[in-house]
Amino acid sequence: MAKTWKDKDISLDPLKDQTIAVIGYGIQGDAQSNNMKDSGLNIIVGLKKGGNSWKKAESDGHKVMSVSDACKKADIIHVLLPDMIQSEVYKSEIGPNLSKGKALSFSHAAAIHWKWIDAPKDIDIIMVAPKGPGSKVRETYLENFGTPSIVAVHQDFTGKAWDRTLGIAKAIGSARAGLIQTTFKEEVETDWFGEQADLCGGAASMIQASFETLVEAGYQPEIAYFEVLHELKLIVDMIQRYGINGMWRRVSETARYGGLTRGPMVITSESKDNMKKVLKMIQDGTFNKEWIDEYQKHGKDSFDKYMKETEAHQIEKVGKQMRKMMWPDSTE
């Protein structure tokens, strides 16, 4: 059974005399910085000079400085940059300003696990990974609750790495919901697998294939959209709140019987074998190498051809019309 913590188990006292530099002010950087500041911690934000986020962070009440200067001043450097630029920024601005006893902190373990960053031995290396987007991390904090996090210590040089890890998790509100201990290896491999096989890749492919099946059989695209995409959120919300069996108890008897008997016809043993192949490619570094090579060649254009194919799909064209009907003031 994994080790867990709740808010009452953790004290912020070990962080009261620490300066935490949050590097990056994207969705997670924004949320986590503001939550930690509101929890009474000493936060500075390190950003690229002249970047779009500088004024935003200042307007939110943060002391903002260059990444190099922030790293010099900080006891804990919390890196919330996009994965693919972490190595470059580390080499140029973070690494040269690391000194004995500091902590290098992340919300995703890829840079350390895959050795994109070769950190020194005389620092702590820690992770607090909220299991939700930054908008939810901030929203739930302001509701006096939180988004759960998984936490790990990769290197405990000072003997205080766990105090630092748990303190950050408490300060961003995650301990209110609950913390679960993991490892850097487990976080990376399960996170990437979930994205590829289930949450993003698997779910999107299943939705498109279901839509195509109905439309090719002569059903109206608008009706197919409602049935295979729009209503999916209702089911996912029930599964998240009540579990899979709880969902079965809350749908109609026809849906329950049909789903229980036909679901295994759609997601077959062959599907699971392919999931195992996906996982193996993550575990053995195949996907990491492919992704790094692709990004080095094409940068953010690496996924453009796939995005264009998705954008051209009929379900997207129909979906835009349907969403405009339901939410006329929304912009995409």
Side-chain angles (χ1 to χ4, degrees):
M1 185 71 179
K3 183 173 177 57
T4 62
W5 296 264
K6 293 286 284 186
D7 206 52
K8 61 181 176 56
D9 303 320
I10 304 164
S11 172
L12 285 180
D13 290 345
L15 295 187
K16 292 295 186 182
D17 62 348
Q18 303 269 289
T19 296
I20 301 173
V22 175
I23 310 302
Y25 206 71
I27 298 174
Q28 283 289 347
D30 183 328
Q32 294 191 38
S33 296
N34 284 301
N35 288 4
M36 288 191 283
K37 178 170 67 72
D38 290 351
S39 292
L41 299 186
N42 182 26
I43 303 301
I44 56 178
V45 177
L47 296 172
K48 179 181 179 180
K49 288 185 177 179
N52 295 331
S53 300
W54 191 290
K55 289 183 179 180
K56 173 71 165 63
E58 281 187 330
S59 70
D60 288 340
H62 294 293
K63 185 176 183 180
V64 187
M65 57 191 73
S66 70
V67 173
S68 295
D69 288 343
C71 292
K72 287 175 187 175
K73 292 180 177 293
D75 301 289
I76 300 170
I77 300 166
H78 193 37
V79 182
L80 296 177
L81 297 166
D83 286 350
M84 304 314 291
I85 68 169
Q86 287 185 11
S87 176
E88 177 187 343
V89 176
Y90 177 83
K91 289 174 183 176
S92 62
E93 299 189 75
I94 299 173
N97 295 297
L98 276 175
S99 55
K100 184 177 180 179
K102 291 193 177 189
L104 197 56
S105 177
F106 299 87
S107 282
H108 182 43
I112 295 296
H113 178 67
W114 295 115
K115 304 188 186 306
W116 303 344
I117 289 174
D118 185 17
K121 302 295 184 184
D122 60 356
I123 64 167
D124 294 340
I125 302 175
I126 64 178
M127 179 182 67
V128 178
K131 301 314 291 178
S135 56
K136 184 62 68 173
V137 172
R138 184 60 174 161
E139 178 186 325
T140 55
Y141 179 92
L142 293 174
E143 294 170 348
N144 293 315
F145 192 54
T147 300
S149 280
I150 57 177
V151 293
V153 169
H154 182 74
Q155 186 169 285
D156 186 2
F157 174 78
T158 66
K160 300 176 181 178
W162 273 110
D163 286 339
R164 287 168 151 174
T165 305
L166 297 176
I168 290 172
K170 179 183 177 77
I172 66 172
S174 285
R176 299 171 184 172
L179 310 176
I180 302 176
Q181 184 177 359
T182 186
T183 64
F184 274 49
K185 179 179 187 294
E186 184 176 58
E187 190 275 336
V188 172
E189 293 177 355
T190 57
D191 182 74
W192 282 5
F193 176 79
E195 291 169 350
Q196 294 172 26
D198 177 23
L199 307 176
C200 303
S205 294
M206 181 192 70
I207 291 168
Q208 286 187 351
S210 300
F211 177 86
E212 290 167 2
T213 300
L214 286 177
V215 172
E216 289 166 7
Y219 298 100
Q220 295 182 81
E222 294 81 4
I223 302 301
Y225 177 89
F226 270 122
E227 293 300 332
V228 306
L229 189 153
H230 181 76
E231 292 191 35
L232 182 62
K233 182 182 184 301
L234 307 177
I235 301 301
V236 171
D237 285 348
M238 280 195 284
I239 292 173
Q240 185 184 57
R241 179 67 179 86
Y242 303 110
I244 294 174
N245 223 38
M247 176 274 292
W248 288 129
R249 295 193 187 98
R250 287 167 174 82
V251 296
S252 71
E253 291 183 342
T254 304
R256 189 183 311 157
Y257 178 79
L260 286 167
T261 59
R262 268 54 177 181
M265 294 170 62
V266 176
I267 305 299
T268 65
S269 59
E270 183 179 359
S271 304
K272 188 174 178 182
D273 287 341
N274 287 330
M275 289 182 180
K276 290 178 180 179
K277 291 177 184 177
V278 168
L279 179 58
K280 180 65 176 175
M281 292 172 73
I282 293 169
Q283 293 171 326
D284 65 15
T286 299
F287 174 79
N288 177 60
K289 184 179 185 307
E290 176 188 328
W291 174 219
I292 293 294
D293 290 347
E294 186 70 21
Y295 194 86
Q296 287 176 345
K297 290 177 185 175
H298 303 294
K300 292 185 178 180
D301 295 335
S302 300
F303 27 73
D304 275 2
K305 63 180 179 181
Y306 306 106
M307 294 290 288
K308 287 175 181 176
E309 289 173 3
T310 301
E311 188 176 13
H313 196 283
Q314 187 181 11
I315 196 171
E316 279 300 291
K317 296 176 181 178
V318 172
K320 285 183 180 180
Q321 297 172 352
M322 303 306 293
R323 291 189 291 272
K324 188 174 181 180
M325 178 184 75
M326 292 180 283
W327 299 287
D329 296 330
S330 69
T331 56
E332 294 191 24

